Amino acid sequence: MRCMSLLLLGTCLVVLGPAVRGAPSQCPSQCHCHGDLQHVICDNVGLKKIPRVSEATRLLNLQRNNLGNLPTGSFSESKGLISLHLQHCQIREIASQAFKGLKKLIYLYLSNNDISSIKPGAFEDLTELTYLYLDGNQISDLSKGIFSPMINLFILQLNDNKLRDLRPGTFTGAKDLRWLHMSGNELNTLQPGSLDDVENLAILHLDRNKLSTYPIAAMSKLRVVEELTLGRNPMKSIPDLAFQSFGRYMEKLHLDNMGLEKFSDGAFTGVTAIKSLHLDNNKLKSLPKSLEFGTITNLTLSNNPWSCTCQLAPLRKWIDYSRNRPDALCASPPQHRGKQVRDTTAFSGCRGKPKRAKKGTRH
């Protein structure tokens, strides 16, 4: 009987072990819980600090609370978390090892806070993290290797921060990153090598920054970019071979609202798959010889001072055979000023490209 009592006591200690150690076994006050504490919802309930939750919790929603800072070990007792929501929490700083222990976390939402400081090591242990949202903060600098634990990172949202520069080593370790959003920052340079660690990017958004020259050295290691947005950067020209390294994959290119004045003739060398090209609201008079129209299905050209000479004849030919009839007005020569490129007779005397002679043909 004594043995049986001891055995039962041992069993009780095993079953109640977590509770004995002080781990929470009930829903935090002010919060709503579902599925045996697997989902803990504390949205806009006036919290000033992070509540303790069970290791069974998979989703923790703390949106719209005033949490201030995230100290070291903020979630040390929440090792089962897969999704963590911290949007609109007035967070200013993320301490080193703030997410320590969250080795199962896949989704981390930190959008629309006041984050200006992310300490080195802040993202330690986040080896399974796949989606990271840091948009709508005050981040001006990213330390070297800050994302290095994130070997499975797929999407990184950094839109609408205050980033001024991008340096080599920023993305060390995040070799599987595919979507990188950095729109609406203050970037004036992307240093050579700054994107070398994420050469498999498929989507790169750099619109609404302060880039005055195309960062060809930084972009040259990218291999499979499908969508690139550079609109609303004060960039006057696009150089030769700008998109060559990923040109056979690129399908969408946004170069609108830039004050863009010209393309070098070889700017589109290697670009063979483009479907959507946006060039509206610039200062363009002509298009480069290297731009092939064969795959384009969506083209915007409005609010440019187009020179309706034979250099634009390939564009007019494409318009004649396309369902897409973009709005584009001639600014010159004078007799065609104000007429639509698609309607003017300015190209009636232009000759097409001469056909190449077949091999072996005598002249």
Side-chain angles (χ1 to χ4, degrees), residues 10-35:
T11 303
C12 288
L13 286 174
V14 170
V15 173
L16 299 176
V20 170
R21 292 195 299 269
S25 58
Q26 59 185 11
C27 189
S29 62
Q30 299 177 288
C31 302
H32 301 281
C33 297
H34 310 278

Side-chain angles (χ1 to χ4, degrees), residues 168-192:
T170 300
F171 300 110
T172 297
K175 59 183 178 58
D176 286 336
L177 190 64
R178 296 283 284 163
W179 294 15
L180 177 56
H181 297 258
M182 294 190 291
S183 305
N185 278 276
E186 298 176 7
L187 289 168
N188 50 56
T189 55
L190 304 185
Q191 292 187 19

Side-chain angles (χ1 to χ4, degrees), residues 31 57 73 85 117 146 199 212 223 237 240 264 273 333 342 347:
C31 302
T57 302
H85 298 251
S117 176
I146 189 68
E199 63 177 19
S212 58
R223 294 285 175 264
S237 64
D240 286 331
S264 294
R342 61 177 179 258
F347 308 105

Side-chain angles (χ1 to χ4, degrees), residues 64-69 86-93 112-115:
R64 287 179 280 273
N65 289 287
N66 185 1
L67 299 180
N69 297 325
L86 293 163
Q87 305 98 308
H88 299 279
C89 285
Q90 301 180 48
I91 298 167
R92 297 181 296 277
E93 180 178 286
N112 302 114
N113 281 288
D114 299 311
I115 299 168

Side-chain angles (χ1 to χ4, degrees), residues 37-88:
L37 302 180
Q38 288 199 22
H39 290 187
V40 178
I41 312 299
C42 313
D43 189 336
N44 196 22
V45 294
L47 294 176
K48 301 292 184 182
K49 62 179 183 179
I50 296 163
R52 297 170 64 216
V53 298
S54 165
E55 282 194 26
T57 302
R58 299 293 178 260
L59 182 149
L60 177 58
N61 184 346
L62 300 175
Q63 292 185 71
R64 287 179 280 273
N65 289 287
N66 185 1
L67 299 180
N69 297 325
L70 296 182
T72 298
S74 292
F75 304 93
S76 58
E77 294 179 354
S78 312
K79 295 179 180 178
L81 283 180
I82 291 174
S83 185
L84 178 56
H85 298 251
L86 293 163
Q87 305 98 308
H88 299 279

